Amino acid sequence: MSMKDKIREKVWKELRKVAKPDSRFHWNFSEFIPDFEGSGKCAMTIRDMELYKKSKNIMITPDNCLQKLREYCILDEKTYVMPTYGIVRGFIKISRELVPEGCEEYASTLDGADRFGIPVTLQDIKKLGKIDFLVTGASAVNLEGIRYGKGHGYFDLEWAMFREIGVVDEDTPIIAVVHDCQVIDIPIEVSPYDTIVDIIVTPTRVIKVEKKYGKPKGIIWEKVPRKMIDEIPPLRELMNMKY
C-alpha cells in the first residue's frame, strides 16, 4: 500500500464517524467525497467571505459536502461551473436564470444539476470569462495545502484544463472544504500535477495556507493515460484546440 493510500485509509476510518452515506456508493469513499456533519457551517463561512461576495463565476466540484454552497450560489445569483462525475459528460453551468424559484435546493444536487443546468464546452467556459475561485472537497489535505482526492486525479485535470484555456492562473484561489478529521499535520510529497489549495475550510476553522508551492501550469500530457483521454470529452476538445 502506498503512502497516499495509507493516509486515505486512516482518514476514511475517522471520516466514517461523521460522514453521511451516499445512495449510490454508500460508504465507499474511494468513489465519492461524502457530505459530513457541519458542512453547512463551511458553506456559510464561504458565503460570508469577501472573495465570495465579490465573485461572479465560480467552479465547484460535484462533491456531496458542497451541496449547500451550490444552493447558496444559485440564491445569490452566482454562476458556477461543475464537472460531471468523472468528467465523462464534461461540465455543466448553473445560474439563477436557469433555476425556477423554489427549486434551488434540488438544483444544487447532482440530479438537479442535470435537470436545470446546461452542458458547456471548454470554449463556452472560456467565453464565460475568468473563474474567480474554485471550491473542492478532498479525502485529505495537509497544512501546506497539498490535497489528496479519491485517487483518480479529476480535480487536478479540471484545474489544468482551466489553466490551459486561461480562465484561471497562479493567483486564482482554491478552497478545500473538509471535516476537521481530514486535515492532517504531516508532510506529503508534492507531484508536478498536484493542485495546491490556498484556503482550507472546516466546520470549526479557516486555515489560510502559507504559499510554498506553485500550481500546475497546464496538462502534463505524458502523465494522462490514453483511457482518460478516450473517456473525457473536454480532454479531447483541448487536444483539438491546441494541436
Side-chain angles (χ1 to χ4, degrees), residues 104-137:
E104 297 86 1
E105 182 177 4
Y106 177 54
S108 68
T109 66
L110 303 191
D111 287 342
D114 273 340
R115 169 67 178 82
F116 298 111
I118 59 173
V120 286
T121 64
L122 290 178
Q123 287 283 17
D124 294 328
I125 295 169
K126 187 173 182 178
K127 292 175 185 175
L128 189 65
K130 285 285 187 181
I131 300 293
D132 294 305
F133 66 96
L134 299 83
V135 189
T136 179

Side-chain angles (χ1 to χ4, degrees), residues 18-55:
V18 294
K20 301 175 183 179
D22 181 87
S23 60
R24 300 157 298 166
F25 302 116
H26 200 43
W27 297 108
N28 185 2
F29 298 149
S30 66
E31 292 298 329
F32 81 110
I33 291 176
D35 196 5
F36 51 77
E37 295 173 10
S39 64
K41 292 180 182 178
C42 298
M44 184 56 73
T45 295
I46 295 173
R47 195 184 196 186
D48 287 338
M49 291 179 176
E50 282 302 310
L51 176 66
Y52 176 89
K53 293 176 182 177
K54 294 177 179 178
S55 67

Side-chain angles (χ1 to χ4, degrees), residues 13 51 55 73 79 89 121 145 198 212 230 232 235:
K13 184 177 180 181
L51 176 66
S55 67
C73 284
T79 295
R89 292 182 297 116
T121 64
D198 302 283
K212 186 176 179 181
D230 291 339
I232 297 176
L235 276 177

